[in-house]
Amino acid sequence: ATAAILTTRRGLSSPATEQRVNIDLAKETGTVRPELHGHFAEHLGSCVYGGLWVGKNSKIPNINGHRKQAVDYLKGLIPVLRWPGGCFADDYHWRDGIGAAAKRPKDVNLHWGMYTEDNSYGTHQFIELCRLIGAEPYLAGNVGSGTPQELRDWMEYCNYPKGSSLSDERAANGSPEPFNVKYWGVGNENWGCGGNMTGDEYATVYRRFATYLRRFGETQPFLIACGPNGNNKEWTQKFWGNMRGGRPSGFAMHFYSNGRGNTATHFTLEDMRQQFASFPNIETAIVEQRALLDTMAPPNPRLGPVGLLLDEWGVWDRMDPEEEKKYGRLFQQITIRSAIAAALGLNVIHRQAGKLVMTNIAQMVNVLHALLLTDEDKCVRTTTYYVYEFTKAHLGQLSVQTESGAAGAMELSVSASRKDKDVTITLVNPKPDVTL
Ligand code: AHR
């Protein structure tokens, strides 16, 4: 057990209050897998173009086109990276992004501003970035506007060692070694931008796609089905109600913490309270969706339970049109409020570690809850970046049961994990007028 001393900021002379948090080292709640600190990069705003990717001919220092400063900052911090979307994924055709850059077709990014996508950033560039920063790649496949053939071909292109036309094409494009991609999303938000389906309709489509997604090389693919928007139980029930055989390895829910009544830098205390109140709801959603999953798809004796992912999460405020014009769609300034929100979210994730296999904050650069912000040649680490940096000691450790005494959106939050005799504790104080 430990006690946190809370002091009001206006005058250290005012009496300090003590809040006890209980940490039960004997009650393990699961391993904090590295994938629980995962990230997401989409062709949206200046996340990829102008953010991560500046191109080989840029004056901005780069490694083969990847912004060097971003690579240096992200190296060792990103266990897994999801790409190319988001909504973009279900309108993305991977063949457009391979081969000589000058010959790649120009498409229209219909979800994020109808701008021309020149496809200069494609599969090889993404895999190269993952190798540079030490991240496990996670590809989100196109189900909404794609075909089973297109997705199975992408898998063969990436994972088949050599000798097939597609693997030889990969080698001719500069990568003789297979990419060995393990994580594959079979669509994204198929209840919305990924095809506007119902859970049972998507289950039928999922089964058709999954039939052709096989182990093409040494890597067994971990197939991830689209899960609910927030804690939508109807989606989960309908999907699993129509799922027989060939079930996915993972089921991915999305849960954003909206603050659409305010912008990232102009908000009231009540706006902040309302946004932070989403984190207890995320925790409830994880617990309830896990229970539903275990009822609808009981753990397989050989393969174990279906993994639950919190595939997209983070704060989503009302955008400032001037900032969006300058820095791209869904650009959000990152503040101390964002850092508190990230830390509250990570505490939920650590506490519920045993119920999750992966989580990805949205998104890594210049979009929503970003780790890095860029402006031309400048690249800064945000407060959210430091939250990930400060809390990475939990990764690989055993999460243990904690209680923070008081419940509520603005109360002290705690998570703890241990390894041998070392204990890592994260305490988050959301109260703006009280110091810890
Ligand atoms: O992260 C921005 C968007 O939010 C993603 O493209 C989509 O999956 C979600 O609705």
Side-chain angles (χ1 to χ4, degrees):
T2 188
I5 312 294
L6 302 169
T7 319
T8 54
R9 194 181 286 154
R10 265 167 273 118
L12 287 175
S13 55
S14 49
T17 54
E18 196 178 281
Q19 187 168 335
R20 288 199 81 72
V21 294
N22 293 315
I23 300 171
D24 191 336
L25 294 177
K27 287 205 179 122
E28 295 163 4
T29 59
T31 300
V32 186
R33 298 159 51 93
E35 290 89 343
L36 297 192
H37 281 208
H39 297 264
F40 171 35
E42 180 166 11
H43 288 225
L44 193 182
S46 54
C47 181
V48 173
Y49 297 110
L52 286 165
W53 177 253
V54 293
K56 291 178 192 169
N57 301 325
S58 173
K59 287 199 191 97
I60 300 171
N62 66 83
I63 306 167
N64 248 347
H66 306 279
R67 184 188 287 267
K68 184 173 180 316
Q69 186 72 86
V71 168
D72 291 346
Y73 284 153
L74 297 170
K75 207 177 283 172
L77 192 64
I78 312 291
V80 61
L81 183 58
R82 178 174 181 253
W83 174 85
C87 293
F88 181 79
D90 281 277
D91 187 40
Y92 181 64
H93 301 284
W94 68 272
R95 287 207 71 94
D96 295 350
I98 58 165
K103 289 198 183 138
R104 295 185 191 175
K106 294 196 171 37
D107 302 319
V108 173
N109 185 330
L110 62 83
H111 287 294
W112 302 117
M114 303 296 265
Y115 71 84
T116 309
E117 157 72 58
D118 70 5
N119 284 301
S120 51
Y121 194 91
T123 307
H124 289 256
Q125 287 68 37
F126 172 66
I127 298 290
E128 187 173 51
L129 174 71
C130 289
R131 304 286 186 252
L132 286 169
I133 64 177
E136 184 76 37
Y138 167 6
L139 294 175
N142 180 345
V143 165
S145 71
T147 62
Q149 165 107 50
E150 183 182 11
L151 188 49
R152 70 64 82 215
D153 283 357
W154 198 12
M155 199 177 258
E156 180 183 326
Y157 183 86
C158 289
N159 288 359
Y160 197 70
K162 61 176 180 187
S164 75
S165 298
L166 283 166
S167 57
D168 290 350
E169 193 178 352
R170 181 196 66 236
N173 285 335
S175 300
E177 293 303 318
F179 295 144
N180 290 328
V181 177
K182 174 178 174 190
Y183 295 112
W184 292 85
V186 185
N188 166 76
E189 295 194 353
N190 302 91
W191 35 260
C193 62
N196 277 309
M197 300 177 225
T198 58
D200 47 342
E201 284 166 353
Y202 170 66
T204 305
V205 174
Y206 173 88
R207 283 191 275 111
R208 182 156 169 249
F209 272 70
T211 308
Y212 307 97
L213 303 176
R214 304 279 176 85
R215 179 182 181 140
F216 279 98
E218 67 179 44
T219 306
Q220 178 66 41
F222 185 98
L223 300 185
I224 298 161
C226 166
N229 183 14
N231 195 7
N232 182 343
K233 300 197 178 70
E234 190 188 349
W235 173 271
T236 305
Q237 278 156 344
K238 286 195 161 166
F239 175 81
W240 289 101
N242 188 17
M243 182 53 59
R244 34 200 132 80
R247 70 184 196 174
S249 313
F251 190 59
M253 64 192 272
H254 289 182
F255 204 133
Y256 282 98
S257 300
N258 293 326
R260 283 178 178 155
N262 56 88
T263 66
T265 48
H266 292 90
F267 55 88
T268 63
L269 193 55
E270 178 48 28
D271 292 334
M272 185 162 94
R273 196 205 57 75
Q274 171 258 319
Q275 189 167 58
F276 290 172
S278 64
F279 292 101
N281 295 341
I282 293 180
E283 190 150 20
T284 303
I286 293 169
V287 171
E288 292 184 357
Q289 289 288 332
R290 178 74 265 167
L292 197 51
L293 211 47
D294 289 338
T295 313
M296 304 284 302
N300 176 301
R302 194 170 52 86
L303 303 170
V306 173
L308 181 64
L309 290 84
L310 181 59
D311 210 26
E312 288 184 27
W313 71 277
V315 293
W316 189 325
D317 296 309
R318 184 161 57 81
M319 298 302 145
D320 176 330
E322 289 308 310
E323 281 186 344
E324 273 198 306
K325 212 182 285 168
K326 187 163 178 207
Y327 298 112
R329 293 292 297 274
L330 303 196
F331 173 88
Q332 228 173 230
Q333 188 54 255
I334 298 297
T335 65
I336 288 290
R337 178 175 66 144
S338 332
I340 302 290
L344 290 172
L346 286 180
N347 266 359
V348 167
I349 289 164
H350 299 154
R351 284 198 294 266
Q352 301 303 335
K355 298 188 171 61
L356 293 161
V357 295
M358 188 194 293
T359 84
N360 303 310
I361 195 166
Q363 300 188 0
M364 199 163 69
V365 181
N366 290 337
V367 169
L368 298 178
H369 208 153
L371 265 63
L372 302 181
L373 295 180
T374 69
D375 185 357
E376 303 289 345
D377 59 336
K378 296 182 198 66
C379 174
V380 294
R381 285 169 284 188
T382 66
T383 52
T384 303
Y385 176 99
Y386 287 102
V387 170
Y388 275 85
E389 179 68 33
F390 292 163
T391 57
K392 71 178 182 192
H394 287 284
L395 299 182
Q397 305 201 141
L398 271 173
S399 172
V400 293
Q401 193 167 301
T402 58
E403 275 164 35
S404 71
M410 303 299 279
E411 298 301 333
L412 188 71
S413 141
V414 59
S415 72
S417 64
R418 67 172 174 79
K419 187 176 186 201
D420 305 324
K421 288 188 172 159
D422 290 332
V423 182
T424 303
I425 303 171
T426 302
L427 288 170
V428 187
N429 169 31
K431 286 195 172 98
D433 55 350
V434 170
T435 55
L436 189 61

